Amino acid sequence: MTRVLKHLWDSTGMLLVFVGLFVGTSVFVPNFFSWVNMQGLSLSVATVGIIACTMLFCLASGDFDLSVGSVVAMTGVLTAVVINASGSVLLGVVAGVCAGGLVGVVNGIAIAQLGINALIATLATMQIVRGLGFIFSKGVAVGVSQPNFYLLGNSSLGGIPTPVWIMIGCFLVFGLVLNKTTFGRNTLAIGGNREAARLAGIAVPRSKITIFALQGLIAGLAGVVLASRMTSGQPNTAQGLELQVISACVLGGVSLTGGVGTMTGVIVGVLIMGTVENAMNLLNVPTFYQYLPRGGILLVAVLLDRLKQRPRA
Amino acid sequence: MTPPYLQFESLVKAFPGVRALDHVSFGVAAGSIHALIGENGAGKSTLLKILSGVYRPDDGRVRLGGEPRLFGSTAAAIAAGIAVIYQELHLVPELSVAENLFLGHLHQRCGWVLRRRLLEAARRQLLELGEDFDPSTKVGRLSIGQRQMVEIAKALARGAKVIAFDEPTSSLSHREVEQLFATVRRLKGQGRVLLYVSHRMEEISELCDAVTVLRDGRHVETLTSLTGVTHDRLVERMVGRPMSDLFRYTPRPHGPPALEVEGLEGPGLTAPASFVVAQGEIVGVFGLVGAGRTELLKLIYGATRATRGRVQVHGRLLVGHGPRAAIRRGLMLCPEDRKAEGLIPTRSVLENLNLSGRRHFSRLGLIIDERRERRSAQAQVDRLEIRTPALAEPVLHLSGGNQQKVILGRWLSEDIRVLLMDEPTRGIDVGAKSEIYGLIYELARQGFGVLVVSSELPEVLGICDRILVMRHGRIVAALPRSGATEERLLKLALPASGGAAGNGGDSVKNDNRNMAV
């Protein structure tokens, strides 16, 4: 019996926490459980949610990527600059996404081929890319003159905002990739034991570069979508985003040492973060105080995870 | 007669699904070396963990000098004079020997470390063990044997009365084993209580005065004298069935070459290596730890890059580098350190079994066919009799023998022709050993070429058709089975100048002939 309960907790623990939280806020926070608020909530987590999909791969393979926040800002700026210069929305979007991918490839090569620690490598690119964002924009927000571009972030389909559809699409695609493809399984194997994976014939450097390239591409996509929502590329945006994304993943039970992680976990982590922020806003908690519960929740989540992993003694 | 200093009384400890200890009682006298033997899962580790305060027993108690003592924490056990020297040593490699010795209670005044007094105390402590290396050396630069001495000195520095050794010799050379034995005997002379856990029968008959056998969490017997007790008898008691012959060697016909190595050079080798393994042949590689055996296997496999030389599998040249190329040509490696190099501990049995082969189960090289994947894994579990509650069980929870089978099973779904095995039975109990040997024979009969690295003489002599001996990074001899004896192998493997060590090595192993036959 205890074993059954334990198994239930192992597989659905954070999901139960989220359901409890959701029901609780629905009952106690006025205006929370309404269609309009749900739209707002989902839109507010879209950027974090999209990037968390590939951050899951980075963490599962035993690395992480601190440069995503800067990539979001830089690609947004670049997209705006390219659209204004060329008059083509498509060209701007492609340029933004590809620039993100390029940063990812650089990260991947630095980490997998040159053997630089992921913390250092992405800390470096984080600053370099942030700097590029300022250079491209000359330090000020770059407004986009083509209204077509605004559609990406501000339209909706069937009552659900387009960025949320993009997030849902990312959840589905990357969930599938993690569980059903050799690439996804190899990612978890590399994080679980890099040397064993290598000796079993898995191409470790190639997989890592792919993981970081994907992370860059998706961060670039998120940057473009965010710029579209704001109708401008802003070099100052998304500061600290990388830590929010990693927090969401950890909330969802992804191990920082690699080898453990599920997409459902990440989705739950993203939703828990979004729900708490949303509830605090509805309750008019002053901004300064909102930081405290955010950090507190992360601590509690990691603690729960540790309890779960305690040996069966 | 006074009662034994250390007494276990009716200890019970259960984990979900297992009774790790079931009313185990026995006593260990002061001034004697008491062996504790049993297969993996017999309850030895659980017993040590109760002794050292890691676990609390569900029932029963431990008595020290007649007083019932139970330790709520490892710190309490240490304070009561109990030390356990584990297989994996618990030292900080970046700190000096002296700092490690007195970790937690350094000589200090107002928070400042008194370096001179610290080093002096450390030197005295080491001298007590007959060691005279510099206590300011970083532990990371010591040999495994020296680190073990530091661990023992640390126990003594904390005033340990009871010292338990958990398979202390598994990574020591013969010479280091001799030094360890001398130290253990010295501790015995000081009247300490010594508990010695080991898989190696020959060590027990050489070193120990008494023995306790555990099986499936139960106490089987305690013998207070080992005179006239044969290894076979002990093994029988451990396994619970007669072990007429562990190795069951039968000759096989050999075919054309399976693996040809020509002039291979690279890190860890001091001379080019050349040899051939025929199809159906089992070739052993014997040598001391550090003789370049593991390095040789890794060079053949491409896990480290060779600077020169050729490797051919079934007459086809191995082109390119790295494990991927080797696997494509039909080479496989069972690495020495299963946990560090063989398994993905966090993942399931299924995923570990399919780690390499799952690319064959994917459609368009992309989406994995989960039914085929499960079927393949289940087939390996059935064929190798891997004991696991489920395919989804984390591989971490399996016993050593079953983990080794998972690694072997990984390769049987690939098109493999040559097996490279590094210490295939290290840390595996006798029952699982004989199953692994059976599997090696079966694969050899099917025409596999097998290269087995082992530091266990009985194993090399017991299962191999031919034996290569390595010393200082080179192959110094190749002996046919008929021409190989323990004396010859040891003489070839030991450094030429080390005559004394050679004798020591002989005496370590000269009791195990009845096991090797």
Side-chain angles (χ1 to χ4, degrees):
Chain A
M1 187 59 204
T2 50
R3 208 186 160 124
V4 173
L5 277 177
K6 189 176 152 43
H7 182 75
L8 200 71
W9 171 247
D10 278 359
S11 50
T12 59
M14 285 318 279
L15 187 63
L16 293 178
V17 169
F18 170 65
V19 170
L21 182 74
F22 191 84
V23 171
T25 34
S26 299
V27 173
F28 294 110
V29 179
N31 304 325
F32 177 79
F33 195 67
S34 68
W35 180 242
V36 176
N37 189 50
M38 286 301 117
Q39 277 180 325
L41 192 159
S42 55
L43 196 57
S44 74
V45 295
T47 306
V48 168
I50 290 170
I51 301 174
C53 290
T54 37
M55 188 63 84
L56 167 62
F57 281 73
C58 280
L59 293 172
S61 72
D63 284 322
F64 47 89
D65 187 346
L66 295 179
S67 68
V68 288
S70 299
V71 170
V72 165
M74 183 274 280
T75 55
V77 167
L78 185 71
T79 302
V81 169
V82 170
I83 290 175
N84 288 345
S86 68
S88 160
V89 171
L90 185 69
L91 196 64
V93 171
V94 170
V97 174
C98 288
L102 196 68
V103 175
V105 170
V106 170
N107 280 334
I109 289 174
I111 292 160
Q113 300 279 21
L114 308 179
I116 301 173
N117 176 292
L119 175 80
I120 307 298
T122 60
L123 195 61
T125 48
M126 169 180 156
Q127 301 180 60
I128 293 169
V129 171
R130 179 68 66 180
L132 288 178
F134 283 122
I135 293 169
F136 294 157
S137 65
K138 303 187 179 65
V140 293
V142 183
V144 178
S145 46
Q146 296 267 345
N148 279 344
F149 178 61
Y150 309 159
L151 284 176
L152 189 59
N154 297 300
S155 61
S156 64
L157 196 74
I160 294 175
T162 310
V164 177
W165 279 117
I166 294 174
M167 174 175 73
I168 293 171
C170 285
F171 284 155
L172 286 175
V173 169
F174 286 104
L176 210 72
V177 169
L178 187 69
N179 292 318
K180 309 268 173 180
T181 67
T182 41
F183 170 67
R185 302 276 190 87
N186 288 352
T187 299
L188 286 162
I190 291 168
N193 188 340
R194 186 188 168 135
E195 185 59 12
R198 186 178 82 95
L199 290 177
I202 292 173
V204 176
R206 204 169 69 197
S207 305
K208 286 210 166 194
I209 293 173
T210 312
I211 290 165
F212 277 95
L214 280 175
Q215 170 79 87
L217 281 173
I218 291 300
L221 176 68
V224 172
V225 172
L226 188 65
S228 163
R229 269 169 67 189
M230 301 187 298
T231 68
S232 64
Q234 300 189 3
N236 273 314
T237 192
Q239 309 241 23
L241 179 75
E242 57 282 343
L243 298 182
Q244 282 182 46
V245 173
I246 293 172
S247 302
C249 289
V250 172
L251 268 175
V254 181
S255 158
L256 278 182
T257 49
V260 180
T262 60
M263 186 53 86
T264 34
V266 167
I267 295 172
V268 168
V270 169
L271 290 179
I272 289 179
M273 276 187 42
T275 305
V276 171
E277 304 241 323
N278 185 272
M280 287 194 294
N281 285 332
L282 289 177
L283 292 171
N284 288 320
V285 176
T287 322
F288 295 167
Y289 289 86
Q290 292 197 3
Y291 287 96
L292 308 183
R294 261 189 239 161
I297 288 168
L298 189 61
L299 276 182
V300 171
V302 176
L303 237 130
L304 287 177
D305 197 51
R306 276 195 61 83
L307 286 177
K308 205 162 75 179
Q309 280 168 8
R310 196 173 279 178
R312 303 172 174 185
Chain B
M1 194 179 134
T2 51
Y5 181 79
L6 170 67
Q7 276 179 296
F8 298 102
E9 284 182 4
S10 196
L11 285 180
V12 178
K13 178 76 191 173
F15 297 110
V18 206
R19 267 213 148 176
L21 287 179
D22 191 357
H23 296 95
V24 170
S25 308
F26 66 97
V28 183
S32 84
I33 305 171
H34 195 113
L36 181 62
I37 62 173
E39 292 195 287
N40 279 356
K44 297 168 299 184
S45 321
T46 311
L47 191 87
L48 287 190
K49 283 185 175 161
I50 288 176
L51 179 65
S52 60
V54 178
Y55 293 156
R56 268 172 179 282
D58 300 337
D59 195 14
R61 64 188 128 194
V62 179
R63 278 178 193 277
L64 279 183
E67 292 292 308
R69 297 295 292 270
L70 265 189
F71 308 114
S73 68
T74 46
I78 290 168
I82 288 171
V84 179
I85 315 286
Y86 288 104
Q87 224 169 333
E88 287 110 18
L89 302 177
H90 295 180
L91 296 170
V92 188
E94 291 307 312
L95 293 183
S96 72
V97 170
E99 285 162 324
N100 267 287
L101 276 183
F102 297 103
L103 205 62
H105 44 105
L106 296 174
H107 298 73
Q108 48 106 12
R109 183 176 297 143
C110 311
W112 294 89
V113 174
L114 301 172
R115 191 177 149 76
R116 282 245 305 279
R117 272 178 55 191
L118 181 69
L119 289 178
E120 190 44 47
R123 191 168 290 121
R124 243 181 293 127
Q125 204 62 251
L126 288 173
L127 274 177
E128 204 181 306
L129 291 175
E131 296 286 333
D132 59 352
F133 48 86
D134 182 5
S136 62
T137 324
K138 286 217 167 88
V139 161
R141 296 172 63 175
L142 300 179
S143 71
I144 303 277
Q146 286 174 320
R147 288 186 209 192
Q148 205 160 40
M149 287 302 159
V150 174
E151 191 79 72
I152 297 170
K154 186 169 142 190
L156 296 181
R158 291 169 169 182
K161 167 83 176 165
V162 177
I163 304 179
F165 296 87
D166 188 7
E167 302 207 31
T169 57
S170 52
S171 42
L172 297 188
S173 68
H174 287 303
R175 197 185 190 139
E176 289 171 323
V177 168
E178 271 306 286
Q179 277 171 359
L180 175 73
F181 282 9
T183 306
V184 176
R185 291 200 183 96
R186 193 190 295 233
L187 296 173
K188 170 186 164 185
Q190 295 168 356
R192 293 181 208 266
V193 185
L194 300 155
L195 201 55
Y196 191 90
V197 176
S198 179
H199 273 116
R200 299 187 180 173
M201 292 300 142
E202 60 272 23
E203 290 180 358
I204 287 161
S205 34
E206 191 196 338
L207 183 69
C208 299
D209 309 304
V211 62
T212 290
V213 185
L214 296 182
R215 183 170 73 230
D216 298 330
R218 289 200 192 84
H219 178 252
V220 178
E221 67 179 340
T222 294
L223 302 172
T224 47
S225 161
L226 281 172
T227 25
V229 180
T230 64
H231 297 156
D232 286 354
R233 152 122 198 256
L234 287 178
V235 170
E236 260 181 55
R237 306 293 284 174
M238 266 167 62
V239 183
R241 61 189 154 85
M243 287 286 301
S244 45
D245 189 352
L246 180 60
F247 299 113
R248 279 196 215 93
Y249 175 87
T250 46
R252 278 150 274 104
H254 297 166
L259 172 72
E260 293 163 88
V261 176
E262 263 180 68
L264 195 65
E265 291 180 54
L269 297 185
T270 54
S274 301
F275 61 92
V276 176
V277 179
Q279 294 176 30
E281 190 181 25
I282 303 172
V283 175
V285 180
F286 178 74
L288 301 183
V289 174
R293 308 164 309 169
T294 299
E295 289 79 358
L296 176 66
L297 284 201
K298 289 203 166 164
L299 283 169
I300 297 173
Y301 191 59
T304 45
R305 197 174 266 248
T307 49
R308 256 221 173 102
R310 307 176 351 138
V311 174
Q312 290 188 63
V313 180
H314 279 222
R316 293 173 71 200
L317 196 64
L318 186 62
V319 278
H321 292 285
R324 280 165 77 80
I327 294 165
R328 295 243 159 82
R329 277 283 182 268
L331 273 174
M332 60 157 277
L333 173 73
C334 279
E336 176 181 15
D337 188 336
R338 280 190 295 277
K339 278 201 189 100
E341 302 185 314
L343 298 168
I344 316 290
T346 49
R347 309 309 299 177
S348 65
V349 170
L350 175 110
E351 282 194 50
N352 272 282
L353 272 170
N354 288 326
L355 191 57
S356 176
R358 66 176 155 235
R359 59 194 159 82
H360 304 308
F361 309 138
S362 55
R363 278 176 293 228
L364 308 169
L366 217 61
I367 306 286
I368 296 171
D369 184 336
E370 291 188 4
R371 271 186 38 216
R372 277 184 64 194
E373 185 187 43
R374 287 191 69 82
R375 215 181 306 139
S376 162
Q378 190 60 51
Q380 301 306 343
V381 166
D382 294 342
R383 173 174 176 192
L384 303 178
E385 295 173 24
I386 298 171
R387 278 174 285 277
T388 172
L391 283 179
E393 187 78 7
V395 76
L396 187 75
H397 295 168
L398 267 54
S399 72
N402 284 307
Q403 289 180 345
Q404 184 67 289
K405 288 191 207 165
V406 168
I407 296 175
L408 267 168
R410 177 185 300 164
W411 301 111
L412 300 180
S413 54
E414 296 270 358
D415 185 15
I416 290 296
R417 299 186 176 91
V418 175
L419 275 88
L420 309 172
M421 307 187 85
D422 202 349
E423 302 282 3
T425 62
R426 166 168 295 175
I428 288 179
D429 60 62
V430 182
K433 260 186 196 177
S434 108
E435 288 179 59
I436 302 269
Y437 297 146
L439 197 68
I440 294 176
Y441 294 140
E442 189 200 317
L443 294 174
R445 261 194 302 278
Q446 289 171 16
F448 279 59
V450 185
L451 194 61
V452 182
V453 161
S454 177
S455 44
E456 306 240 1
L457 267 176
E459 179 169 289
V460 175
L461 290 165
I463 66 169
C464 298
D465 301 319
R466 200 150 53 89
I467 299 162
L468 308 175
V469 184
M470 290 191 76
R471 185 177 70 218
H472 286 326
R474 62 169 68 206
I475 298 175
V476 290
L479 305 175
R481 180 181 178 87
S482 55
T485 61
E486 292 183 12
E487 288 75 17
R488 280 194 73 181
L489 287 183
L490 276 170
K491 200 163 270 175
L492 288 163
L494 290 165
S497 58
N503 292 334
D506 278 1
S507 69
V508 174
K509 295 286 180 179
N510 64 7
D511 272 335
N512 53 24
R513 228 151 289 152
N514 49 351
M515 272 190 84
V517 175

